[in-house]
Amino acid sequence: MPLTLALPSTQGTLAPYSLVGSRPVRPPAGVRFDRIAYSAAHVVSDPRAAIDPWLQCAIDWDATIAYRRHLWSLGLGVAEAMDTAQRGMGLDWPTSLELIRRSVAAARGVPGALIASGCGTDHLAIDEVRGIDDGIRGYEQQMEAIEATGGRLIVMASRALARVARTPGDYEKVYDRILEQAREPVILHWLGDMFDPALAGYWNGSDAQRAGGRYDVQRAMDTALGIIRAHAGKVDGVKISLLDKDKEIEMRRRLPAGVRMYTGDDFNYAELIAGDGQGTLPNHRASDALLGIFDAIAPAAAAALGELAAGNLQRFHAILGPTVPLSRLIFAAPTRFYKTGVVFMAWLNGRQSHFTMVGGQQSSRSLAHLAEVFRLADAANLLEDPELAVHRMRTLLALHGVED
């Protein structure tokens, strides 16, 4: 008989739900991809730590590193200490650096493991940042610390820079300085303000905002592309997280040879990774991936990428396509709270023993929202142990006063 439990709806009513999915497809051992695929990885908090969870950060290091080993075992790379790890939403810079140090060390013991780490300016006191030189120094401090661990860089968008940069030329000065100093090619990250409202106006500058102009995405893209072209040898790729597939494709087709487009579009990733075959250069025809949703759908993502590399496009879409509705729900507005859905999935699938988060962020989504995540995860064949998932969903329901 199918597993059944009572789940709440968005109207506040309860209705029986019977599971319909099967266990996730997993890739064969040693699977190979023809795309570079990073999963931005979440952190596992330590619920036993005697701290103020809204103000302090405590990490379960063993469980956190174990999750990274899980991702590597599937052939996925790890994008470390990014927004999926609650960077800037509970995870401070000292803890981020310790996370990077531990993950880079763990990667050395895994043949072929890919890892790149977020480099930003989030250690700066935002109210004390007076100009772009402060932003440059902030980036340089984190760059030096990450490179000292042996890590490669993902240059994250900077709240400090968004606050003080007045023109596109200010962005050019900052990124010129940072890219000139990088030891290895970096990934640039363009994070839209739907993920972080403090990044509004990025690449354009505050003068345009103060003049009452709307955010000019085309001008922002021109600025970013100009920086990339000027330093193409120092840029491995760019991750664009605007949740706008047309803008990603447009930018992809304008990239210089050898610079990858890493899709950050958690709404349209399947078709962007598959590509459209159009463009004058190979890197114009399809996107690689650096996605937060891959944390939540890792086995399916790896299996689908293996099928794509084997030339089985129909099978790729059959595996990955059903995960898109789940991803669209997890990343629904307010998008910055998507991490709750990611951690919820890890808990349902037995990848961690509890559903608590750094900063108490497990409370940022409603019970009705999480119930729908459960339904869509089942429909997408993403519940690794359905009996455990049902038990844990019932535990969460009971905690909220809902018992069937």
Side-chain angles (χ1 to χ4, degrees), residues 13 24 55-56 58 66 79 85 104 119 133 136 153 176 282 293 316 331 372 397:
T13 57
L55 304 176
Q56 297 167 289
V104 169
C119 172
D133 286 342
I136 290 170
L153 304 179
D176 284 349
I293 193 58
F316 165 83
F331 285 80
E372 187 63 12
L397 291 166

Side-chain angles (χ1 to χ4, degrees), residues 171-371:
Y171 286 94
E172 291 166 356
K173 291 174 186 176
V174 172
Y175 281 87
D176 284 349
R177 285 280 297 277
I178 301 309
L179 292 172
E180 286 169 358
Q181 298 176 65
R183 293 180 185 174
E184 297 182 80
V186 309
I187 298 172
L188 299 180
H189 189 191
W190 181 359
L191 190 67
D193 60 4
M194 68 288 295
F195 287 89
D196 185 347
L199 298 175
Y202 213 78
W203 305 115
N204 278 346
S206 60
D207 282 358
Q209 299 294 109
R210 278 193 290 267
R214 297 183 62 184
Y215 183 51
D216 188 340
V217 177
Q218 202 65 46
R219 186 185 189 197
M221 187 184 298
D222 291 343
T223 301
L225 283 165
I227 292 168
I228 292 168
R229 292 190 189 104
H231 303 276
K234 288 291 187 79
V235 179
D236 168 59
V238 56
K239 173 184 176 176
I240 178 171
S241 300
L242 299 180
L243 304 181
D244 184 330
K245 67 178 181 179
D246 294 329
K247 293 300 181 187
E248 177 174 320
I249 291 169
E250 178 187 351
M251 188 173 186
R252 187 174 77 198
R253 290 190 184 141
R254 296 174 64 189
L255 289 172
V259 176
R260 299 177 182 273
M261 171 58 74
Y262 288 97
T263 185
D265 189 334
D266 298 280
F267 284 4
N268 303 290
Y269 50 92
E271 61 183 291
L272 290 164
I273 294 168
D276 56 16
Q278 299 181 30
T280 57
L281 297 171
N283 60 320
H284 293 172
R285 299 166 191 160
S287 296
D288 294 277
L290 198 166
L291 288 160
I293 193 58
F294 273 13
D295 183 294
I297 66 167
L305 287 165
E307 295 290 352
L308 183 64
N312 301 323
L313 182 61
Q314 185 174 0
R315 183 62 178 152
F316 165 83
H317 283 298
I319 296 170
L320 207 57
T323 71
V324 173
L326 171 69
S327 186
R328 288 182 175 228
L329 176 67
I330 287 176
F331 285 80
T335 302
R336 62 188 180 278
F337 296 133
Y338 77 87
K339 297 92 169 173
T340 303
V342 169
V343 174
F344 180 61
M345 285 292 296
W347 179 60
L348 287 180
N349 280 324
R351 298 292 169 183
Q352 58 188 75
S353 62
H354 58 84
F355 180 42
T356 62
M357 295 174 65
V358 170
Q361 287 288 315
Q362 70 273 5
S363 66
S364 70
R365 294 295 201 185
S366 70
L367 183 63
H369 176 94
L370 296 173

Side-chain angles (χ1 to χ4, degrees), residues 136-153:
I136 290 170
R137 282 192 292 272
Y139 271 127
E140 289 174 339
Q141 288 163 355
Q142 291 201 13
M143 175 186 294
E144 180 180 9
I146 294 168
E147 290 185 335
T149 72
R152 296 185 63 184
L153 304 179

